[in-house]
């Protein structure tokens, strides 16, 4: 929304700044032209002052949004880093197989609910669509689970049929493991899958967020693959204890893995959203500052032009009177 | 040869250092783990974990999860973990009484199961205090 306002303001101001103020200003606001009085077209100082006020307000708002995002980022960042340790043992045990060939993949897309956060949501959607293309084919199908308003808006347009479940307003509830495990439970109940691919933005630093895919395999696939060999083959060397059957333990393990990976993904995505919003609002404030500078110059020029015209009128009036005497 | 033990919960790392021996409770009983144990992946029950460092035993209450024992590396992922030095005895006793009362009041299958779990958790915490 703020971006659209900037674009509009930019378009209005650009012609006026490029040309010389007195000679050839084309102002789209015809109501503010003093054509009749002066015989030339000019922007009145009132108009420029109004624009300056609105740009200054926008700058204040974007600065405030940046501060808010920075403080929220600090709060979530610590927890995201702590939760990274969670899924590492799973990867060590079961391996990460993004290239595994399965019949039914479910892509879980994580995005934000609010906008003004740069391009993170569109990159996540692009990666999801690429995964869809990669995994479609004869006998293979891909379904989407969408978390977050922004991705829902984008994907509803073309992939409506493949969306199984969509969850919004995740950030309204406090982000802790209990909430995420409820969400994970919902997803597990409603979809059948061989592999779950979670797409989210991984938080590397305040300016770097990379879209990442984490793969969680269903227990049946794990059993099949472990018999085949490879990374998962090591799983066979582990004696599985603690339950009636190996299948039951693997099922519990897969569910636990999914909820841990989801927890980490949701936290990382929240961090990336805050970081992206910080940098977007920062560049908006800077743009607003530059626009304010240009507007100030225009204002001064306009003011001086009107003073000059007044002077000319007075002087020519006075000299006309003198000549008449 | 010492074991490297890592106890993690969703929010923090509870324990990350070397130990001599641990005694872990699984669904099928307690297992003692010494260095060079065979690799095992197991589910961990809501029960206590005993850690030995140099002839001194330390107790921790675990609230269920998974454990993976690799070549001298133990990783335990649990929903929650508390060292017995961090548990307040009175508060633990009170929680136990409240849990028992809730179990008696519980109606319906779901409430009973939840009350049971809460009771086991409270009991584990009290036990962690009572064992050395």
């Amino acid at each position: 929304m703020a971006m659209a306002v900037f674009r509009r303001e930019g378009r209005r101001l650009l012609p006026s700044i490029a040309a010389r103020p007195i000679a050839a200003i084309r102002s789209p606001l015809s109501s503010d032209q003093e054509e009749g009085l002066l015989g030339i077209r000019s922007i009145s100082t009132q108009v420029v002052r109004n624009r300056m006020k609105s740009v200054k307000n926008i700058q204040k708002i974007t600065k405030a949004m940046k501060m808010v995002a920075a403080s929220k980022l600090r709060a979530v960042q610590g927890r995201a880093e702590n939760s990274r340790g969670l899924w590492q043992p799973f990867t060590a045990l079961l391996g990460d197989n993004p290239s595994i060939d399965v019949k039914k993949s479910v892509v879980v897309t994580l995005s934000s609910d609010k906008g003004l956060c740069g391009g993170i949501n569109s990159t996540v959607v692009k990666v999801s669509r690429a995964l869809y293309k990669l995994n479609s084919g004869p006998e293979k199908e891909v379904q989407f689970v969408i978390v977050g308003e922004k991705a829902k808006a984008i994907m509803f347009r073309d992939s409506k049929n493949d969306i199984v479940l969509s969850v919004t307003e995740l950030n309204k509830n406090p982000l802790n493991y209990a909430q995420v495990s409820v969400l994970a439970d919902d997803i597990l109940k409603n979809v059948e899958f061989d592999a779950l691919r979670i797409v989210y933005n991984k938080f590397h630093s305040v300016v770097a967020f990379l879209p990442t895919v984490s793969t969680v395999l269903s227990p049946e696939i794990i059993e099949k693959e472990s018999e085949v060999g490879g990374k998962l083959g090591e799983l066979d060397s582990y004696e599985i204890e603690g339950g009636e059957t190996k299948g039951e333990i693997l099922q519990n393990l897969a569910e636990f893995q999914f909820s841990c990976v989801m927890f980490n993904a949701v936290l990382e995505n929240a961090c990336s959203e805050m970081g992206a919003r910080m940098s977007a609002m920062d560049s908006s404030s800077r743009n607003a500052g530059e626009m304010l500078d240009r507007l100030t110059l225009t204002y001064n020029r306009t003011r001086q032009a009107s003073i000059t015209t007044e002077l000319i009128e007075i002087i020519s009036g006075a000299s006309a009177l003198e000549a008449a005497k | 040869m010492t074991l490297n033990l890592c106890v993690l919960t969703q929010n923090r790392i509870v324990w990350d250092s070397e130990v001599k021996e641990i005694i872990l409770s699984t669904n099928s009983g307690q297992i003692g783990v010494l260095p060079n144990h065979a690799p095992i992946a197991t589910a961990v029950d809501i029960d206590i974990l005993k850690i030995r460092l140099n002839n001194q035993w330390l107790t921790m209450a675990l609230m269920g999860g998974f454990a993976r024992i690799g070549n001298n590396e133990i990783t335990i992922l649990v929903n929650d973990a508390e060292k017995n030095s961090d548990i307040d005895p009175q508060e633990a006793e009170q929680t136990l009484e409240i849990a028992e009362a809730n179990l008696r009041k519980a109606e319906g299958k779901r409430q009973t199961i939840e009350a049971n779990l809460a009771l086991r958790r409270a009991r584990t915490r009290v036990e962690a205090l009572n064992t050395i």
Side-chain angles (χ1 to χ4, degrees):
Chain A
M1 176 201 68
M3 303 297 190
V5 174
F6 283 147
R7 267 183 261 127
R8 265 182 277 135
E9 293 274 308
R11 248 182 280 138
R12 268 193 219 137
L13 292 174
L14 217 40
S16 71
I17 294 162
R20 287 188 325 275
I22 298 184
I25 296 178
R26 298 221 173 288
S27 169
L29 299 181
S30 48
S31 57
D32 303 308
Q33 290 170 358
E34 302 171 349
E35 187 167 358
L37 285 170
L38 302 172
I40 53 170
R41 289 210 235 159
S42 68
I43 305 177
S44 78
T45 56
Q46 185 65 35
V47 170
V48 183
R49 246 184 305 158
N50 284 342
R51 275 192 219 143
M52 279 171 68
K53 205 165 54 156
S54 75
V55 171
K56 211 182 283 189
N57 282 339
I58 292 181
Q59 187 182 35
K60 280 191 209 157
I61 292 175
T62 54
K63 269 202 185 136
M65 285 183 76
K66 176 183 166 196
M67 299 285 162
V68 167
S71 70
K72 282 196 186 161
L73 176 67
R74 261 194 304 262
V76 195
Q77 196 172 349
R79 300 173 60 203
E81 281 169 14
N82 283 342
S83 76
R84 273 186 203 157
L86 261 191
W87 52 263
Q88 274 155 5
F90 288 109
T91 321
L93 178 66
L94 299 169
D96 194 23
N97 298 301
S99 52
I100 203 161
D101 206 15
V102 287
K103 294 230 175 50
K104 283 207 177 118
S105 335
V106 174
V107 175
V108 181
T109 315
L110 295 182
S111 67
S112 61
D113 286 330
K114 303 202 197 125
L116 293 184
C117 46
I120 55 171
N121 292 322
S122 48
T123 48
V124 164
V125 168
K126 255 190 272 182
V127 172
S128 309
R129 290 221 183 105
L131 278 179
Y132 180 82
K133 284 223 180 81
L134 274 177
N135 282 320
S136 315
E139 286 191 9
K140 291 202 278 191
E141 60 163 318
V142 182
Q143 291 182 310
F144 287 113
V145 172
I146 302 196
V147 179
E149 228 5 283
K150 291 283 148 190
K152 181 166 139 190
I154 305 179
M155 305 210 70
F156 236 57
R157 268 185 281 140
D158 7 321
S159 320
K160 213 189 322 185
N161 309 325
D162 293 313
I163 299 180
V164 173
L165 184 66
S166 78
V167 184
T168 51
E169 302 193 349
L170 187 64
N171 292 329
K172 275 227 174 114
N173 311 322
L175 269 182
N176 54 17
Y177 183 68
Q179 291 289 338
V180 178
S181 55
V182 167
L183 170 66
D185 205 28
D186 263 343
I187 298 180
L188 284 173
K189 262 194 295 214
N190 287 327
V191 275
E192 270 187 36
F193 62 94
D194 287 332
L196 273 169
R197 299 174 203 274
I198 309 181
V199 185
Y200 60 101
N201 289 96
K202 195 170 171 108
F203 184 76
H204 286 281
S205 81
V206 180
V207 292
F209 343 99
L210 295 177
T212 340
V213 182
S214 293
T215 318
V216 174
L217 301 172
S218 79
E220 294 95 14
I221 298 285
I222 295 181
E223 280 214 57
K224 236 190 339 165
E225 290 286 324
S226 68
E227 279 152 33
V228 167
K231 184 78 202 284
L232 280 175
E234 287 180 16
L235 182 63
D236 240 4
S237 67
Y238 281 76
E239 206 185 297
I240 313 267
E241 276 197 28
E244 269 85 76
T245 64
K246 180 170 168 180
E248 184 187 324
I249 295 293
L250 278 182
Q251 168 116 10
N252 284 340
L253 193 66
E255 286 178 14
F256 195 45
Q257 179 188 14
F258 178 49
S259 65
C260 287
V261 175
M262 264 308 261
F263 184 55
N264 174 253
V266 167
L267 281 178
E268 300 253 357
N269 206 41
C271 278
S272 310
E273 178 194 338
M274 294 301 152
R277 185 164 296 139
M278 251 179 76
S279 60
M281 291 296 109
D282 184 43
S283 55
S284 302
S285 322
R286 228 176 298 134
N287 282 344
E290 283 173 27
M291 197 168 282
L292 210 50
D293 288 338
R294 285 186 300 205
L295 278 172
T296 314
L297 286 176
T298 316
Y299 176 68
N300 286 333
R301 266 184 266 147
T302 320
R303 192 178 46 92
Q304 287 163 349
S306 70
I307 292 176
T308 313
T309 30
E310 264 199 64
L311 276 174
I312 291 179
E313 278 174 27
I314 294 173
I315 293 176
S316 47
S319 65
L321 275 175
E322 276 208 33
K325 259 200 278 182
Chain B
M1 292 260 353
T2 44
L3 299 170
N4 218 338
L5 175 66
C6 223
V7 180
L8 303 168
T9 70
Q10 284 91 12
N11 303 323
R12 61 197 177 104
I13 305 178
V14 181
W15 184 279
D16 186 10
S17 77
E18 296 200 344
V19 299
K20 292 280 167 56
E21 181 188 343
I22 70 166
I23 299 186
L24 182 66
S25 300
T26 71
N27 292 355
S28 48
Q30 291 196 333
I31 56 175
V33 182
L34 289 163
N36 290 326
H37 198 283
I40 274 195
T42 168
V44 170
D45 215 1
I46 304 179
D47 213 334
I48 50 180
L49 164 77
K50 288 199 258 216
I51 308 174
R52 176 164 75 88
L53 313 135
N54 294 330
N55 296 328
Q56 215 195 358
W57 284 97
L58 188 68
T59 321
M60 212 186 279
L62 300 177
M63 305 299 169
F66 283 93
R68 170 176 159 256
I69 304 170
N71 45 348
N72 288 330
E73 295 241 355
I74 310 179
T75 317
I76 305 187
L77 277 176
V78 283
N79 290 323
D80 203 1
E82 286 175 84
K83 293 195 221 166
N84 64 345
S85 47
D86 291 335
I87 307 179
D88 178 24
Q90 281 180 330
E91 190 241 336
E93 290 278 352
Q94 274 180 347
T95 323
L96 182 62
E97 282 164 27
I98 297 175
E100 281 173 354
N102 277 337
L103 180 59
R104 266 170 278 157
K105 265 194 305 183
E107 300 160 18
K109 200 162 167 212
R110 183 182 159 147
Q111 280 198 4
T112 326
I113 297 179
E114 284 181 5
N116 261 324
L117 282 177
L119 179 66
R120 284 176 71 192
R121 285 197 289 264
R123 194 169 283 154
T124 310
R125 296 175 79 216
V126 174
E127 269 185 43
L129 288 170
N130 292 337
T131 50
I132 34 91

